């Protein structure tokens, strides 16, 4: 109501009063679950967290996260995607919305809900109806020409993570070239190089998540402020026009 | 808003498999039938679909027709009616209990409610109507049964009980057929031909269901398919599965 809603149509600020939803997508085996686990371990003491995994065949990823006890079991939900991982995060997000809403109903106010997509191809992208921000995870072993091939995930994700840098010397991947190729299609959006083997707490990505949350809070705050401001204006205006008794 | 069209676009939207209502994650009992070796090719798929249509299909279509009739007549009376007994807003709880009674497998009940919840979400966004609100209020937490939502959504767009039955009967076979294409790699043209061969039966089941729309709910068809019920239960416990149901 009167608030500035369309400053950037591609960056929906989370609705006030609900958790920020962070999508994590990327090809099979690139390290999405490892990154999810790392973020949970690093952020769980400072944030109210929950996770939704999208598993293609089993509940493997949810089971892994529970086994690793990165969060209490009831903060981890698994969604089955009917042979179509990208449909569940893009074209028909209802099962994921259901899981997200169930987590919020169970735990009350959460700060961050991570939705891990099933491993998919380079065109997969989270719907803005499901994720407020999204990370796309590649790994250096999947071929150092992948950033050049582009695709929606590489080009448009809010953060591109290039993982498993520890393997680069072993598979002969050129990290500098990957960074340059990514920058060319990403229009200034950030790229982070990680090795979850060597730095299991994913400090670079955790720092980005903290910044995103700060920014979202500021936006929500500004919006609330703007609404109060508008209301005061309306009140003043109606007082000015009110017939004097 | 009665539509002059023979095939109203609102109805086409409701019947479209691209409707974002979570259907893509369900196989209509086909995945466990494949796992059990009961469906292996187009011929056995056609037999499976005939059986499903004649049993679960008729029951669901009749519930949808009754729901559409109920929503239409309630809307005429005005919203906010309470029926005697604890039937929830507008008596939807009674019809929901009739659906429960006709769905012996707990796995199928929860699959029906999950799809009902998802369809309700998109239906309320697209065709706002007091009956959809009443359904949502009456089934807080677990969600209403799927055919009830199809019926109420059809009423919300000004459709008839016969149309609700047709959409439902059609959906009980198309979802399973597309799951078969994904699970068995069947030739999609042959599968579509099998569906075409079923068309007259789908219409007949829909007509049969629609004829009972304004009868007493206790007299709605209560056919069961015990093998499908058993499949649904084993499926829920299966380690490897692509589809939720
Ligand atoms: N060497 C190395 N291995 C890693 C790194 N990060 C993850 N892995 C390993 O890569 C494998 C796949 O990691 P996951 O986190 O399961 O990958 P994923 O993207 O979630 O996989 P799917 O969900 O199946 O698509 C696991 O064996 C991880 O231990 C890393 O930085 N370096
Ligand atoms: Mg994973």
């Amino acid at each position: 109501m009167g608030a500035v809603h369309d400053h950037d149509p591609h960056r929906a600020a989370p609705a006030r009063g609900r958790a920020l939803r962070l999508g994590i997508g990327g090809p099979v085996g690139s390290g999405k679950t490892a990154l999810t686990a790392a973020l949970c371990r690093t952020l769980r003491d400072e944030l109210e967290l929950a996770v939704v995994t999208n598993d293609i065949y089993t509940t493997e990823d949810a089971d892994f996260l529970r086994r690793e006890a990165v969060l209490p079991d009831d903060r981890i939900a698994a969604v089955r995607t009917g042979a179509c991982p990208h449909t569940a995060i893009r074209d028909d997000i209802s099962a994921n919305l259901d899981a997200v809403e169930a987590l919020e109903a169970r735990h009350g106010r959460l700060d961050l809900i991570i939705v891990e997509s099933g491993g998919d191809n380079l065109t997969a992208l989270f719907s803005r109806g499901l994720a407020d921000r999204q990370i796309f995870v590649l790994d250096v072993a999947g071929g150092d020409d992948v950033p050049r091939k582009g695709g929606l995930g590489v080009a448009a994700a809010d953060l591109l993570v290039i993982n498993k840098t520890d393997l680069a010397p072993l598979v002969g991947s050129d990290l500098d070239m990957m960074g340059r190729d990514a920058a060319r299609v990403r229009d200034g959006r950030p790229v982070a190089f990680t090795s979850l083997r060597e730095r299991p707490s994913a400090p670079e990505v955790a720092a980005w998540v903290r910044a995103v949350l700060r920014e979202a809070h500021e936006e929500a705050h500004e919006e609330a402020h703007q609404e109060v401001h508008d209301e005061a204006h309306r009140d003043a205006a109606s007082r000015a026009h009110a017939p004097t008794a | 808003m009665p539509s002059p069209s023979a095939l109203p676009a609102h109805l086409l939207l409701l019947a479209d498999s691209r409707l974002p209502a979570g259907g893509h994650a369900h196989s209509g009992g086909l995945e466990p039938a494949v796992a059990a070796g009961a469906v292996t090719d187009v011929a056995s798929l056609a037999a499976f679909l005939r059986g499903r249509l004649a049993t679960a299909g008729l029951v669901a279509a009749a519930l949808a027709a009754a729901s559409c009739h109920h929503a239409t007549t309630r809307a005429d009376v005005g919203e906010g009616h309470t029926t005697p007994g604890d039937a929830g807003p507008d008596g939807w709880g009674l019809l929901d209990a009739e659906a429960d009674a006709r769905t012996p497998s707990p796995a199928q009940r929860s699959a029906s409610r999950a799809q009902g919840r998802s369809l309700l979400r998109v239906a309320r966004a697209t065709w706002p109507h007091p009956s959809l609100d009443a359904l949502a209020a009456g089934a807080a937490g677990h969600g209403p049964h799927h055919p009830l939502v199809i019926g109420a959504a059809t009423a919300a767009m000004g459709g008839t009980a016969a149309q609700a039955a047709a959409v439902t009967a059609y959906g009980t076979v198309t979802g399973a057929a597309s799951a078969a294409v994904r699970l068995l790699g069947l030739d999609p043209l042959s599968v579509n031909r099998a569906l075409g061969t079923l068309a007259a039966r789908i219409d007949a089941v829909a007509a049969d269901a629609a004829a009972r729309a304004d009868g007493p709910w206790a007299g709605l068809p209560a056919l069961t398919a015990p093998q499908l019920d058993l499949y649904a239960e084993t499926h829920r416990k299966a380690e490897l599965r692509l589809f939720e149901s």
Side-chain angles (χ1 to χ4, degrees):
Chain A
M1 252 183 284
V4 190
H5 282 302
D6 45 3
H7 30 251
D8 181 349
H10 295 298
R11 289 195 138 223
R16 229 178 308 144
R18 71 154 170 81
L20 186 113
R21 298 172 189 166
L22 175 65
I24 298 187
V28 176
S30 61
K32 298 179 293 297
T33 305
L35 178 61
T36 302
L39 289 175
C40 288
R41 285 196 203 95
T42 307
L43 298 170
R44 66 187 168 197
D45 292 333
E46 53 192 282
L47 297 173
E48 288 294 328
L49 279 174
V51 171
V52 178
T53 64
N54 282 208
D55 286 299
I56 301 186
Y57 233 122
T58 58
T59 51
E60 191 84 32
D61 285 355
D63 295 345
F64 173 84
L65 294 173
R66 292 198 181 112
R67 233 179 6 255
E68 295 280 303
V70 298
L71 290 178
D73 283 4
D74 65 353
R75 286 178 179 243
I76 301 169
V79 162
R80 222 168 286 276
T81 60
C84 240
H86 50 265
T87 303
I89 61 159
R90 188 185 58 202
D91 314 75
D92 184 350
I93 57 179
S94 42
N96 273 310
L97 284 181
D98 230 31
V100 163
E101 285 168 10
L103 284 168
E104 286 188 314
R106 193 180 309 144
H107 297 289
R109 180 77 169 88
L110 295 167
D111 298 308
L112 180 67
I113 299 180
I114 297 175
V115 182
E116 183 195 336
S117 156
D120 207 346
N121 61 42
L122 295 174
T123 64
L125 200 68
F126 280 85
S127 155
R128 296 284 162 187
L130 176 61
D132 302 304
R133 298 288 188 277
Q134 53 190 307
I135 297 177
F136 199 74
V137 185
L138 291 178
D139 70 86
V140 306
D144 60 5
D145 55 347
V146 170
R148 189 168 59 241
K149 291 181 188 162
L152 287 171
V154 171
D158 298 293
L159 175 69
L160 177 67
V161 168
I162 299 178
N163 186 35
K164 307 193 191 179
T165 54
D166 56 296
L167 297 181
L170 303 175
V171 297
S173 281
D174 181 343
L175 293 182
D176 289 338
M177 183 185 80
M178 290 183 87
R180 276 196 312 277
D181 287 345
R184 201 165 298 136
V185 291
R186 285 186 52 75
D187 198 21
R189 281 183 292 276
V191 179
F193 287 89
T194 60
S195 168
L196 297 171
R197 246 329 119 70
E198 290 170 351
R199 294 183 303 281
S201 62
E204 316 84 345
V205 183
W208 179 84
V209 171
R210 287 192 194 96
V212 160
L213 279 168
R214 255 197 318 276
E215 180 196 331
H217 282 159
E218 276 161 21
E219 270 173 36
H221 187 79
E222 241 170 62
E223 226 171 81
H225 188 82
Q226 184 72 36
E227 262 174 41
V228 171
H229 182 85
D230 287 353
E231 212 157 288
H233 250 282
R234 270 196 305 277
D235 283 355
S238 60
R239 269 199 305 280
H241 291 119
T244 40
Chain B
M1 37 174 159
S3 169
S5 163
L7 205 47
H10 279 303
L11 206 68
L12 292 172
L13 280 174
L14 182 66
D16 195 330
S17 69
R18 284 163 295 193
L19 184 76
H24 71 99
H26 296 266
S27 77
L30 186 92
E31 188 174 17
V34 167
V39 175
T40 54
D41 53 14
V42 175
S44 46
L45 171 66
F48 175 91
L49 295 178
R50 273 198 306 278
R52 179 167 162 75
L53 177 65
T55 53
L58 176 63
V59 171
L63 284 164
S67 162
C68 182
H69 177 75
H70 183 58
T72 308
T73 48
R74 281 286 148 179
D76 289 345
V77 178
E79 60 184 288
H81 260 258
T82 11
T83 8
D86 193 16
D90 290 350
W92 285 106
L94 282 179
L95 191 54
D96 199 73
E98 295 289 348
D100 248 354
R102 286 164 177 74
T103 318
S105 144
Q108 284 186 344
R109 286 187 190 179
S110 77
S112 168
R113 291 190 183 284
Q115 291 179 87
R117 216 158 47 228
S118 294
L119 179 59
L120 190 56
R121 192 198 312 274
V122 60
R124 291 177 86 192
T126 315
W127 305 286
H129 190 270
S131 284
L132 293 171
D133 297 340
L135 262 181
H142 53 231
H145 276 292
H146 192 220
L148 272 59
V149 187
I150 298 179
T154 307
M157 63 182 73
T160 64
Q163 290 172 329
V167 168
T168 309
Y170 171 74
T172 55
V173 291
T174 52
S178 81
V181 172
R182 293 196 217 164
L183 287 168
L184 291 165
L186 298 182
D187 169 19
L189 300 185
S190 306
V191 169
N192 209 65
R193 187 171 57 226
L195 284 172
T197 308
L198 265 185
R201 281 177 198 255
I202 298 173
D203 292 341
V205 163
D208 187 359
R212 311 161 192 243
D214 55 358
W217 290 344
L220 289 170
L223 295 159
T224 59
Q227 188 61 262
L228 280 183
D229 296 342
L230 290 173
Y231 282 159
E233 291 304 308
T234 51
H235 184 63
R236 191 160 61 161
K237 295 180 200 99
E239 287 237 318
L240 292 184
R241 54 194 176 120
L242 284 166
F243 291 87
E244 190 55 50
S245 76

